[in-house]
Amino acid sequence: MLDELSKHGLIHQVAYLIDLINHTTLSYFVHTGLIGLLVKLASGSMVVVKTLFDLNISSILKEIFSIYDLSHGVPSPRTIDGHYNQMHEVLKLLIQLLPVVSRNQEVPLDAEKEAFLVTHPDLVEKFGNDLLHVLIQVVDSGVDLYICYGCLSVVDKLLYYSNSDMLIDLLKSTNISRGRNLDFLILNYTFFYQISLQF
């Protein structure tokens, strides 16, 4: 059923509507709901996952991250109340697209997703180039606790799927190979990982 929805263009339409570049006039609740719809679809269909990668979903999600004033750790004037809910949905979608099977062995579809990513390192690299820098900026800005943890979870998954050459290029492009940002990232990851063990 989910595969059929994708084949009939539903995923293309939803991706178009949530893409901020297209300047669609959606309310916050509709926009967030559409992202949540993609989360549900991606959790149950490999066709949906492949379609989202084909539609360059990482660039679309990067634009949503960009509406935060990361220098102050708060939403920019372009956002509205409750935007954190939307960020949670974005992070849930990213986690659906980048599963780690060793941690989710009871979910058969995750094995398909992992096999797909392992055989398409170019897609992982594109994801990293689009998102790694902004994810680290979000953590560095000290926004909402769970958003920080979600960002670090996605970073962890990107690193899991990246080979050594890819990691070197990503670290160079994000400028965290040395200095305060790398130390901050490590400290935050350790802190949030310990918190996650309590849930």
Side-chain angles (χ1 to χ4, degrees):
M1 179 64 177
L2 295 179
D3 292 352
E4 289 301 315
L5 289 174
S6 180
K7 291 174 183 177
H8 284 84
L10 175 64
I11 310 306
H12 290 74
Q13 289 298 319
V14 174
Y16 176 84
L17 290 171
I18 68 170
D19 192 344
L20 299 179
I21 294 177
N22 294 324
H23 303 290
T24 52
T25 56
L26 298 176
S27 71
Y28 157 75
F29 295 103
V30 171
H31 198 265
T32 301
L34 289 174
I35 299 171
L37 175 62
L38 291 180
V39 174
K40 291 181 174 63
L41 294 174
S43 69
S45 170
M46 193 62 215
V47 172
V48 171
V49 171
K50 291 178 179 179
T51 302
L52 288 172
F53 275 101
D54 288 342
L55 293 173
N56 201 19
I57 191 66
S58 58
S59 292
I60 295 173
L61 299 180
K62 177 184 176 181
E63 290 301 318
I64 296 174
F65 274 113
S66 73
I67 66 178
Y68 273 77
D69 182 358
L70 297 175
S71 64
H72 297 90
V74 296
S76 76
R78 288 182 290 167
T79 66
I80 63 176
D81 291 341
H83 188 76
Y84 282 158
N85 291 332
Q86 189 173 84
M87 296 301 294
H88 285 298
E89 292 300 322
V90 169
L91 289 168
K92 283 162 62 178
L93 179 56
L94 288 172
I95 289 168
Q96 278 296 330
L97 295 173
L98 298 168
V100 177
V101 173
S102 60
R103 302 168 195 174
N104 300 283
Q105 294 179 355
E106 72 282 4
V107 184
L109 185 61
D110 283 354
E112 285 189 65
K113 293 178 183 177
E114 180 171 41
F116 173 73
L117 292 170
V118 168
T119 56
H120 293 83
D122 55 312
L123 297 180
V124 177
E125 186 172 14
K126 178 68 167 61
F127 245 65
N129 287 331
D130 283 341
L131 293 167
L132 185 58
H133 179 68
V134 71
L135 289 168
I136 291 169
Q137 279 189 307
V138 172
V139 175
D140 198 24
S141 70
V143 295
D144 177 84
L145 177 70
Y146 290 99
I147 289 179
C148 284
Y149 176 70
C151 289
L152 288 169
S153 295
V154 176
V155 170
D156 178 47
K157 292 171 186 292
L158 282 170
L159 298 180
Y160 174 84
Y161 285 108
S162 300
N163 58 43
S164 57
D165 291 337
M166 196 185 304
L167 281 175
I168 292 172
D169 291 338
L170 287 175
L171 290 173
K172 286 180 179 178
S173 66
T174 54
N175 194 29
I176 62 166
S177 57
R178 65 178 64 183
R180 174 183 175 274
N181 283 340
L182 182 58
D183 293 338
F184 186 84
L185 182 64
I186 294 170
L187 287 171
N188 271 280
Y189 184 79
T190 303
F191 174 68
F192 289 119
Y193 178 73
Q194 291 298 324
I195 288 178
S196 72
L197 297 178
Q198 302 174 23
F199 292 93

